[in-house]
Amino acid sequence: MNKKGLSPAELLKSSEEFDPEIEKRKIMDKVNKFKKFIMWSDEQLDEYRKLYNNFIDAHKIKDNNESTKQKGDRLEDLVNFIFENSFFLSVYPNKRTSINEIDQFVTISDYGIQALHDIGISRELLGLCEDHFICECKNYNKSIPATWVGKFNTLLNTCGSTQLGIIFSYHGLTGKENNWYDGHGLTKVVYKISPEECKTFILDFNKYDFEKLLDKKFNIFDIIKAKKKSLISGVGSYKFLEEEHDASKKMFEVYSEIVK
């Protein structure tokens, strides 16, 4: 008897009954259900567009105490909306520890937990190693320097060695995503020196990433996965994001043909 408790004859019959097209259909059905769960409705997209435009407009205003607060509030409103409307995530804004304040503490939502169970999909589709991650909203009138990346890494380490952190801002981090200097370079250093079994991902999310979400073909989970791949490989995340979309589109076309 084999590990599954089947005799050789039963195992042979089982392999003969295996239909790869049926199995492909089952897998594609699960992935497409996941994509339908996370796709925004027209109403959600309209609301996001309003928040996005408010965020962009605020950065056209000359800096003063009022405009600085306004920019910060609009950035946080935009980020909170993204997570609140992701279905699979819950966001807890402005939570204090004994020594720090966390702008957004994000966890897998109750709906997300149940959906993962009921649909039978891999949590890796979310691009998350843990059930939680931390976000920082930096309202800067210029790119975020490496100093703040270092401070954010310290925050991750003091919050249960959290593996994923996202820095949201208008201009993004200093340096370039595919180079080893300034803010982006430090995120690569942090990733490289972190333990193999507990890699630390600090991701940059800027105005161009917010803009991508105006198009329904992109979602927060695909962007997170693309940016993690970029951090690992040194290749620009937009390349992974476009390829992910093209592959997904092709797979959906194949799926449509199968279910006809």
Side-chain angles (χ1 to χ4, degrees), residues 14-76:
S14 175
S15 64
E16 290 174 345
E17 292 175 349
F18 176 81
D19 187 329
E21 293 306 316
I22 291 177
E23 297 305 315
K24 288 179 186 177
R25 188 184 307 169
K26 289 179 181 177
I27 291 172
M28 286 189 283
D29 184 52
K30 288 182 179 180
V31 173
N32 279 290
K33 281 183 178 179
F34 168 71
K35 291 187 178 297
K36 288 177 181 178
F37 268 109
I38 61 177
M39 182 179 289
W40 285 350
S41 66
D42 291 340
E43 290 77 13
Q44 287 172 307
L45 191 58
D46 286 343
E47 182 61 27
Y48 176 77
R49 185 175 288 106
K50 291 177 185 176
L51 293 170
Y52 169 82
N53 289 334
N54 288 339
F55 168 65
I56 297 298
D57 289 344
H59 280 268
K60 298 176 183 177
I61 303 172
K62 187 176 180 180
D63 280 342
N64 54 52
N65 289 339
E66 184 178 350
S67 69
T68 298
K69 183 180 185 305
Q70 188 179 64
K71 290 175 184 178
D73 289 345
R74 291 185 181 186
L75 174 58
E76 291 191 10

Side-chain angles (χ1 to χ4, degrees), residues 140-184:
Y140 258 43
N141 57 7
K142 57 184 178 180
S143 298
I144 311 300
T147 302
W148 283 107
V149 175
K151 291 180 179 179
F152 189 47
N153 183 49
T154 300
L155 177 61
L156 294 179
N157 289 329
T158 57
C159 292
S161 297
T162 303
Q163 290 180 255
L164 174 63
I166 306 176
I167 299 177
F168 291 91
S169 67
Y170 183 88
H171 295 285
L173 304 182
T174 53
K176 293 184 178 180
E177 193 176 45
N178 58 347
N179 285 321
W180 284 75
Y181 58 84
D182 293 335
H184 276 291

Side-chain angles (χ1 to χ4, degrees), residues 191-241:
Y191 171 78
K192 288 295 183 183
I193 67 175
S194 57
E196 196 62 39
E197 68 279 4
C198 186
K199 283 297 184 184
T200 300
F201 293 87
I202 296 178
L203 308 182
D204 165 45
F205 200 105
N206 56 64
K207 59 181 177 181
Y208 298 110
D209 300 304
F210 286 120
E211 184 179 345
K212 288 183 180 71
L213 293 177
L214 294 171
D215 189 330
K216 280 190 176 184
K217 72 181 183 181
F218 298 119
N219 60 71
I220 184 62
F221 300 107
D222 285 343
I223 293 176
I224 287 175
K225 287 184 286 186
K227 287 183 176 289
K228 291 178 76 172
K229 290 175 185 175
S230 175
L231 197 54
I232 294 169
S233 67
V235 176
S237 62
Y238 68 92
K239 294 184 179 179
F240 290 113
L241 200 57

